[in-house]
């Protein structure tokens, strides 16, 4: 009997056609169904048409930054994103993760590594989707800060606070488990949704920015030598 199981769809947004075609060819052989786009505009259009399960996104595109594409996609869709780029500096990696990317591959790359990373990200997303969710609180409040989980919005004194997707997820994780001490590695796993193997300084940077944006330096507590927690008694 023919196997009619639908293949996992991948969309590759890469302006170098040779690289895009090589990726598509190799990933099709790995059992995926790969589509390509060679500009940000074409990629954003194809996302709506193809409805991919995962996006492979080049950092440098001719018409729009890959970071801006990442920001637009994460604001509209729940599609895991792996950035593909020649940039290897840790600051660039952190910036990509801040904009909503789930993983990061540096050129030149091995097709086998790309396939493994795709499966790792998809497995994490799948595991997260089947785990029972605790009922979402309509609104989480502390002092004059208000978090509306289902809307993914944060307000201070009624004014919207502009948080990146990862900043919001980090804040929500800490708030939901008030008083629990998280290691940096645990926070990376909870918030980024996979076993991040890079520098855990990305957590420190996100915490610093959250404290600044929320004016909540005393609520997000540093537990020296361990990690962070959200102060349990806030009323």
């Amino acid at each position: 009997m023919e196997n009619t199981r639908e293949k996992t769809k991948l969309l590759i947004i890469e302006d170098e056609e040779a690289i895009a075609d090589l990726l598509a060819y190799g990933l099709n052989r790995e059992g995926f169904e790969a589509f390509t786009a060679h500009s940000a505009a074409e990629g954003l259009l194809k996302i709506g048409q193809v409805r991919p399960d995962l996006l492979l996104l080049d950092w440098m595109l001719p018409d729009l930054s890959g970071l801006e594409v990442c920001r637009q996609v994460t604001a509209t869709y729940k599609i895991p994103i792996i950035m593909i780029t020649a940039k290897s500096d840790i600051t660039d990696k952190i910036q990509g993760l801040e904009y909503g990317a789930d993983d990061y591959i540096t050129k030149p790359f091995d097709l086998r590594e790309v396939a493994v990373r795709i499966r790792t990200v998809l497995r994490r997303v799948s595991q997260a989707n089947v785990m029972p969710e605790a009922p979402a609180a309509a609104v989480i409040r502390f002092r004059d800060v208000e978090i509306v989980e289902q809307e993914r919005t944060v307000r201070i004194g009624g004014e919207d606070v502009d948080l990146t997707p990862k900043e919001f997820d980090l804040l929500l994780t800490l708030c939901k488990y008030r008083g629990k001490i998280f290691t940096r590695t645990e926070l990376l796993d909870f918030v980024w949704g996979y076993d991040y193997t890079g520098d855990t300084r990305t957590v420190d940077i996100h915490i610093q920015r959250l404290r600044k944006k929320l004016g909540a330096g005393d609520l997000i507590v540093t537990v020296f030598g361990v990690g962070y927690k959200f102060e349990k008694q806030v009323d």
Side-chain angles (χ1 to χ4, degrees), residues 51-124:
R51 296 288 177 175
D53 299 294
L54 183 139
L55 185 63
L56 288 167
L57 176 61
D58 185 33
W59 183 293
M60 303 294 290
L61 295 169
D63 53 340
L64 197 65
S65 164
L67 288 177
E68 177 60 22
V69 175
C70 187
R71 187 190 67 78
Q72 291 188 26
V73 170
T74 54
T76 308
Y77 304 96
K78 290 186 176 180
I79 302 173
I81 299 172
I82 297 178
M83 299 288 291
I84 297 181
T85 178
K87 294 176 177 286
S88 59
D89 186 83
I90 184 63
T91 303
D92 295 319
K93 292 183 179 182
I94 290 171
Q95 190 176 14
L97 295 170
E98 284 180 338
Y99 273 71
D102 295 272
D103 202 352
Y104 196 106
I105 296 175
T106 304
K107 298 176 184 176
F109 50 78
D110 187 297
L111 274 170
R112 293 168 297 180
E113 179 191 2
V114 176
V116 168
R117 287 179 178 262
I118 288 171
R119 292 192 174 100
T120 299
V121 170
L122 289 173
R123 184 171 63 250
R124 290 286 179 174

Side-chain angles (χ1 to χ4, degrees), residues 189-204:
D189 194 42
F190 266 93
V191 174
W192 275 261
Y194 71 103
D195 288 327
Y196 178 66
T197 57
D199 197 321
T200 56
R201 285 181 299 173
T202 187
V203 173
D204 300 325

